[in-house]
Amino acid sequence: MGKSYGFLFFLIGVAMVTGCTSKKESNAVSEVQAPVLPGNFERAMPPAMMTVPQDRAGYLVTHFWDKFNFRDTMYCHVPNITEQAFVDFIGLFPHASASKIPEGVKKLLDAAEVENVMYTYFCSKAEHYLYDPNSPMRNDEYFIPFLEHIVNSSKVMEVYKIRPRHQLTLAYRNRIGSKAENFTYRLASGKTGNLYGIPAKYLLLIFYNPDCTECRHTVEMLKNSTALAAGISSGNVKVLAVYPDENPEMWQKHLKDIPSAWVNGYGRSQAVKNSELYDLKAIPTLYLLDKDKKVLLKDASAGAIHEYLEKNQ
């Protein structure tokens, strides 16, 4: 029967304790020995005949950890080796084909299951870099294979699957290529509308808070986007800015901060927030939708929105 262990976000520290003894005869105290930290491991190299960059990246994603010693849990305490290697690993994802990413993640976590601490370590690093709202690398699509492995693992206790299972539900929602969740908003005039009722070749959806410094910064960046301005002017692009929280009075005070060419509403029933129609772990949250309200960009930066519109109008 395989051992069962807990998961993830409660990182398990490894205490290395060495005892000290004394002898009455000599009163000598033994020295505490510092743990011996492991050295670097050999990284995988793609075959020389493999010259296509995407193929090379895919090979590295699926073979990155081939020569890593998952039984040596001291690697969890050498961030310049192990954490840096993990960052390099997920840094390959944008350059590999989409099919290679879940394959590479599965190989990593299957191997890490040999040690409780090691599995927890890599899962916690995945959350830190791919899910944390403050991480510039956050990406639901890349985090999904980690979550899927956790909720399907026979070695993770059910109680520790509750949070990742919920995260996975949200990550599946509004995925790139799927239709965005519809919702109703109210305008300052008192009229109501809904997401699907805005016809446009492209619809930029912004969830924001008028009191949020980063939101104001993002709005300014979008105001200065020549690609967005050209799209609005031509009628190809419309913008829906939505305040999803419960203080419409505060929202009313800041109406002037949002360009008049944008549709500016608030979630009158807080359905977006309370029903978690969208994962608003970070504010602002930006989506770019096509004419059928399919998601083109999810949780994107203002810069990414500008670049996409610049290339595709």
Side-chain angles (χ1 to χ4, degrees), residues 2-242:
K3 61 180 179 181
S4 176
Y5 53 82
F7 165 65
L8 179 59
F9 306 100
F10 309 101
L11 185 60
I12 301 173
V14 179
M16 298 295 296
V17 180
T18 57
C20 61
T21 60
S22 63
K23 296 183 178 180
K24 289 183 180 179
E25 306 91 273
S26 63
N27 256 348
V29 179
S30 64
E31 292 184 3
V32 176
Q33 297 296 317
V36 177
L37 298 178
N40 217 331
F41 69 99
E42 185 179 346
R43 303 282 188 94
M45 290 292 291
M49 72 283 293
M50 188 177 286
T51 58
V52 178
Q54 187 181 55
D55 293 343
R56 290 174 66 86
Y59 180 91
L60 290 173
V61 166
T62 54
H63 293 276
F64 193 95
W65 304 97
D66 284 1
K67 297 186 179 181
F68 184 79
N69 183 3
F70 288 93
R71 290 194 178 276
D72 188 351
T73 59
M74 287 308 298
Y75 270 113
C76 299
H77 302 275
V78 194
N80 62 312
I81 294 177
T82 317
E83 186 168 354
Q84 184 58 58
F86 183 80
V87 171
D88 294 344
F89 171 64
I90 61 176
L92 291 164
F93 289 6
H95 308 289
S97 66
S99 63
K100 293 296 183 181
I101 296 169
E103 182 183 346
V105 171
K106 185 176 187 306
K107 284 190 70 175
L108 164 62
L109 295 184
D110 280 353
E113 279 188 326
V114 71
E115 287 288 346
N116 175 354
V117 172
M118 196 67 81
Y119 187 83
T120 301
Y121 176 85
F122 281 109
C123 290
S124 68
K125 292 305 174 189
E127 182 181 31
H128 175 72
Y129 285 103
L130 298 176
Y131 184 78
D132 189 286
N134 296 313
S135 171
M137 300 181 78
R138 78 174 186 264
N139 187 308
D140 277 359
E141 285 302 307
Y142 298 160
F143 192 38
I144 282 173
F146 288 91
L147 293 171
E148 289 177 333
H149 196 281
I150 294 158
V151 301
N152 291 315
S153 174
S154 61
K155 294 189 176 182
V156 177
M157 293 170 61
E158 284 301 314
V159 67
Y160 295 113
K161 293 182 180 182
I162 295 172
R163 185 168 185 263
R165 189 174 282 124
H166 178 66
Q167 289 174 312
L168 188 57
T169 298
L170 293 182
Y172 282 154
R173 201 165 285 164
N174 305 302
R175 293 181 77 174
I176 292 174
S178 68
K179 292 195 74 168
E181 295 281 350
N182 197 15
F183 61 89
T184 301
Y185 57 85
R186 186 181 293 276
L187 302 172
S189 65
K191 292 183 179 180
T192 60
N194 66 76
L195 179 74
Y196 283 16
I198 302 177
K201 181 179 179 181
Y202 297 111
L203 176 62
L204 173 57
L205 172 60
I206 308 169
F207 294 104
Y208 80 106
N209 187 319
D211 250 0
C212 159
T213 301
E214 185 59 32
C215 295
R216 290 194 292 269
H217 176 66
T218 297
V219 168
E220 285 303 312
M221 289 183 67
L222 292 170
K223 285 180 183 179
N224 294 325
S225 167
T226 53
L228 180 59
I232 293 172
S233 178
S234 68
N236 283 337
V237 182
K238 292 187 179 178
V239 183
L240 172 60
V242 177

